Every structure is written in C-alpha cells, then in structure tokens.
C-alpha cells in the first residue's frame, strides 16, 4: 500500500509544518518546494487553454516507475468497484483507473488516480471520471476522504487525465472538512431558513448589502434544492448535491444539466444523476475556456450522500502576485482551504486575510463572468 512505498517519495510528510487559520490550514516544507516532480514548463504569463490535445512526448502517467502503482481499479456498469492491489504478478486488463502514490504527498495516503491511462486522455473532466470519483467516495469507509481535480489553466500539473485522493484526518481541519465545505454548510443552512418559500424557483434572488468596508456581499443564492452557489467564500463556487432515494434533499423539479440518458433510478437520485448534472455544467466551462477546480466529498449531513463542488475561476496566468516575498499559487487544494506556503517567512506570517484577499483578487471570477457562469448552472427541465 501507500505506507510501503515511502522510499519512493521525493518529499516526506514529516518535513511539513502546519498551522490552522480559522477554517484554513497552512503548511510548508522546503523539501516540497525544491524536490517536487516538475510540471510541464509553461510561460507563467500566458493564458493556458483548458482544452489541449494529449502530448505523448511529455511526461505522463504511463511513464512512471511501476513501483509507484498501488492498485488497478475496474468500475462496472452499475457502479461497484473491483480493486486489484499490485504485486509483481498481478495485472488487471481493461482498467478504469490506476491508483498511484503521489511522490510529493500533501497529506497521508495522498494518491493520484489516472483514468484509463493507456487511452492517453487529456486533462478534460469526463462524466465517466466524475462517476469514478463518486464511486471511490462511496467505496470508502472514511468520512474525511476527498477527490480533487484541476483543469488545465487551474494548475493541473500534467495533461493526462487524473484526479487526486486526499484524507484530512490529522491535518488540523475543523471536523475534518475543508474551508469551502464549511462555507457551503453555512450558506445552505442560512439559505434553507430564509429562502424556503422560493426554492421552487430555479433562480431565487439573493439580497445584496454593502458593509462599512465597501465590500458588496451577496448571500443566500439558492438555485435549487440540489444546487447552491457558495457566496460565503472568497472564491464563488457551486455545490451540487446528491438526491437520496428516500427523499432527503427533496428534489423540487428543477434540474441542472438534466440528461435523458442517466443510467440511474427513475426519480433522478443517486450519484450517476449527480455526475450527469455536474458534467453538463463542466462541459459548458470547457467550451467557454473557463478554468475550473472540482472537489468531491461526502455530505456533512449524510455520509451516504455526496457533494460535488465546481469552482469556475480565473486562469492561472492571472495568479501572479507576491505575498511576503513569494507567490501564492492556488490549485484545487489551496482553493479549498489547504494552503501551501513557499517560504519560512510566508509560513510564519501568512494570515487568513492574506489568503482571502488573494483568492478574491486572483482566483474568483469577475462579477459579469460569474453571472454568466451561474446561468450555465441552471437549466429548467423540459416538461
């Protein structure tokens, strides 16, 4: 397993220092900054296209040391996963995914999941890969498991379809939930109590207030019972929630990217329907060349259900400011609340205000783009 492959790591977890800032966690390791496997070199000031062809001549996950592979995974049509843990003699044909150690881990048991690696798919999120990520959540007994995705233009390190699995236990997060998850829970609870009369509308309005600091604050935008826009966070995002078979999170008749070919129950429940709704939204982002990060997590309300957070964002070329002598880069883990400092000074002196300010300035979409993206997220079901 993962523990037995520590000798292959470029960086060791024991080098990390961590501290908690509200619902955020900051961590730093000089080893991680200097010894991490290099990503494909890019002009940091150039726009990174979200859609690119796979390039077999650059690094990809078919070129790794075979010892880095933990398991091959096959996903069957109705969702169950078959795991084949790797030994010298084991081999699974027609794999859905290959699970590998991350040789520069950010957390215990941090793994990379390459989706159909032999097919040489580019880093473009597919419905199949969403279904796989959700199936992996369902397959795990741990509540702190997270599945993460970076698009190109949102700090994906390699253009070879892959996701990350991390576990939060021991990192210092309150309730083993990321900062974005806490913000979404606050948004959802407030929205439910103040907007219950309007949830049957696909686009209920949000109130706007201006505080003493002149910041415009939007609150309680509830798009449907299975979708909210998270405004109580410096990077606006969208939380899609699984609808259970027994009526939890009752569906109000609206749908997000509803599809007629969902292989799920007739009432639209289950994670296949969730994957379909999310993918319909993500596909719009891909078509519009909008970079995005994705977080998949178990629901804080019901561990048998899943949530998917889609975070449309500015392209990484916009993320170029310096804080305390070093840039702050925001890939999916940072955007969700696990912030990687890049120097001792940054580690010791970074504040929650620094993090929120840089996210709002360099990651969050401008208001006009955000409203356009919100329109992508909401689509009335044809009756």
């Amino acid at each position: 397993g993962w523990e037995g492959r520590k000798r292959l790591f470029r960086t060791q977890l024991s080098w990390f220092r961590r501290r908690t800032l509200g619902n955020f966690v900051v961590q730093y390791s000089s080893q991680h900054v200097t010894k991490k496997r290099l990503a494909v070199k890019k002009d940091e000031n150039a726009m990174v296209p979200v859609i690119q062809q796979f390039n077999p001549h650059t690094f990809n996950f078919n070129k790794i040391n075979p010892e880095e592979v933990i398991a091959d995974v096959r996903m069957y049509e109705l969702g169950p996963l078959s795991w084949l843990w790797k030994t010298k003699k084991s081999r699974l044909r027609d794999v859905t995914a290959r699970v590998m150690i991350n040789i520069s881990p950010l957390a215990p048991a941090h793994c990379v999941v390459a989706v159909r690696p032999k097919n040489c798919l580019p880093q473009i999120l597919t419905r199949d890969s969403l279904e796989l990520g959700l199936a992996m959540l369902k397959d795990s007994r741990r509540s702190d498991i997270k599945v993460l995705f970076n698009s190109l233009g949102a700090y994906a390190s390699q253009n070879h379809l892959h996701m990350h699995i991390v576990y939060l236990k021991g990192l210092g997060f309150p309730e083993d939930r990321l900062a974005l998850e806490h913000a979404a829970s606050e948004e959802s609870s407030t929205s439910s109590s103040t907007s219950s009369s309007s949830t049957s509308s696909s686009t209920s309005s949000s109130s706007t207030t201006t505080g003493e600091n002149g910041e415009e604050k939007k609150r309680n935008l509830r798009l449907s019972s299975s979708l909210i826009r998270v405004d109580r966070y410096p990077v606006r995002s969208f939380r899609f929630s699984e609808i259970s078979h027994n009526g939890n999170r009752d569906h109000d008749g609206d749908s997000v990217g509803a599809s007629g070919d969902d292989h799920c129950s007739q009432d639209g429940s289950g994670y296949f329907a969730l994957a379909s709704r999310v993918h319909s939204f993500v596909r719009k982002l891909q078509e519009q060349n909008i970079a995005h990060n994705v977080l998949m997590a178990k629901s804080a309300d019901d561990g048998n259900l899943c949530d998917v957070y889609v975070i449309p964002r500015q392209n990484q070329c916009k993320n170029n400011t310096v804080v305390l002598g070093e840039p702050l880069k925001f890939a999916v883990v940072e955007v969700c609340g696990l912030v990687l400092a890049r120097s001792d000074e940054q580690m010791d002196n970074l504040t929650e205000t620094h993090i929120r300010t840089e996210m709002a300035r360099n990651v969050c979409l401008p208001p006009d783009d955000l409203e356009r993206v919100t329109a992508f997220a909401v689509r009335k079901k044809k009756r």
Side-chain angles (χ1 to χ4, degrees):
W2 190 87
E3 289 284 346
R5 290 169 168 79
K6 286 185 175 180
R7 59 187 170 77
L8 301 172
F9 292 171
R10 286 175 178 248
T11 62
Q12 298 294 333
L13 280 173
S14 59
W15 280 60
F16 274 111
R17 293 194 291 130
R18 297 187 183 91
R19 62 191 180 98
T20 301
L21 295 173
N23 288 329
F24 294 91
V25 170
V26 180
Q27 65 178 17
Y28 171 67
S29 163
S30 60
Q31 193 185 57
H32 188 85
V33 171
T34 58
K35 294 187 178 182
K36 183 180 177 182
R37 178 185 278 155
L38 294 178
V40 177
K41 289 186 177 181
K42 305 178 181 75
D43 180 351
E44 292 190 358
N45 295 315
M47 180 74 71
V48 179
V50 172
I51 304 294
Q52 298 180 39
Q53 291 186 339
F54 178 84
N55 183 351
H57 303 296
T58 59
F59 173 83
N60 62 72
F61 296 111
N62 293 323
K63 298 180 179 182
I64 65 166
N65 180 346
E67 291 186 83
E68 295 176 24
V69 178
I70 296 175
D72 285 337
V73 181
R74 180 184 293 158
M75 183 174 178
Y76 295 94
E77 184 176 355
L78 296 179
L81 298 180
S82 174
W83 294 76
L84 183 65
W85 304 101
K86 296 295 286 185
T87 66
K88 290 183 178 179
K89 296 181 180 180
S90 65
R91 184 175 297 275
L92 183 63
R93 295 181 180 179
D94 188 30
V95 299
T96 306
R98 179 154 288 162
V99 180
M100 305 160 285
I101 60 169
N102 188 318
I103 59 174
S104 297
L106 299 175
H110 182 180
C111 294
V112 175
V113 180
V115 182
R116 302 191 186 280
K118 296 300 182 182
N119 291 5
C120 298
L121 302 172
Q123 185 69 351
I124 300 170
L125 193 64
T126 62
R127 192 170 86 170
D128 285 351
S129 52
L130 282 163
E131 290 173 356
L132 173 66
L134 292 169
M136 287 182 160
L137 291 183
K138 299 278 190 178
D139 204 51
S140 176
R141 296 179 181 178
R142 293 184 56 166
S143 61
D144 63 332
I145 182 175
K146 314 294 174 186
V147 180
L148 306 151
F149 173 86
N150 295 305
S151 80
L152 297 175
Y155 286 106
S157 59
Q158 312 298 339
N159 185 20
H160 191 187
L161 185 55
H162 68 285
M163 302 179 288
H164 294 263
I165 294 178
V166 299
Y167 301 87
L168 297 191
K169 188 174 180 62
L171 295 185
F173 283 100
E175 302 174 27
D176 290 335
R177 294 162 61 204
L178 291 160
L180 175 57
E181 295 177 89
H182 281 285
S185 292
E186 294 172 8
E187 194 90 49
S188 180
S189 60
T190 305
S191 175
S192 296
S193 62
T194 61
S195 304
S196 59
S197 63
S198 63
T199 56
S200 61
S201 169
S202 61
T203 53
S204 62
S205 60
S206 62
S207 59
T208 301
T209 60
T210 302
E212 293 181 357
N213 61 0
E215 270 190 23
E216 185 182 74
K217 298 179 181 179
K218 291 185 177 181
R219 292 290 180 259
N220 308 329
L221 179 59
R222 189 176 184 87
L223 304 179
S224 77
S225 62
S226 60
L227 169 62
I228 63 170
R229 195 177 82 186
V230 184
D231 286 335
R232 293 173 178 262
Y233 199 68
V235 183
R236 306 297 189 263
S237 58
F238 298 82
R239 189 189 74 183
F240 296 77
S241 298
E242 182 181 2
I243 306 300
S244 73
H245 292 276
N246 62 11
N248 290 338
R249 292 171 168 175
D250 288 337
H251 197 36
D252 58 19
D254 295 328
S255 74
V256 181
S259 172
D261 60 353
D262 293 346
H263 43 294
C264 58
S265 61
Q266 291 184 348
D267 64 0
S269 60
Y271 69 89
F272 287 108
L274 176 60
S276 180
R277 292 196 299 271
V278 172
H279 182 245
S280 181
F281 178 47
V282 169
R283 192 169 55 221
K284 285 288 189 181
L285 301 179
Q286 294 165 349
E287 291 169 356
Q288 297 294 317
N289 198 34
I290 298 172
H292 48 281
N293 305 111
V294 177
L295 162 68
M296 296 176 241
K298 292 187 177 184
S299 167
D301 300 323
D302 183 343
N304 295 314
L305 300 177
C306 297
D307 293 325
V308 180
Y309 298 79
V310 181
I311 310 155
R313 54 169 292 164
Q314 296 183 54
N315 197 278
Q316 67 190 56
C317 68
K318 306 291 186 181
N319 187 190
N320 53 14
T321 59
V322 173
V323 179
L324 300 172
E326 294 287 347
L328 267 184
K329 295 186 177 181
F330 289 96
V332 63
V333 291
E334 291 88 352
V335 168
C336 292
L338 177 58
V339 179
L340 300 183
R342 301 181 66 81
S343 69
D344 284 303
E345 181 184 1
Q346 209 176 59
M347 176 65 195
D348 294 335
N349 298 296
L350 197 68
T351 65
E352 184 175 355
T353 299
H354 283 132
I355 295 168
R356 289 181 173 275
T357 300
E358 294 308 309
M359 280 188 177
R361 179 185 299 159
N362 294 313
V363 186
C364 188
L365 286 177
D368 288 348
D369 289 342
L370 181 64
E371 292 310 312
R372 181 165 58 97
V373 163
T374 301
F376 296 159
V378 183
R379 193 177 82 187
K380 198 73 174 176
K381 184 188 292 184
K382 295 180 181 179
R383 300 190 184 279

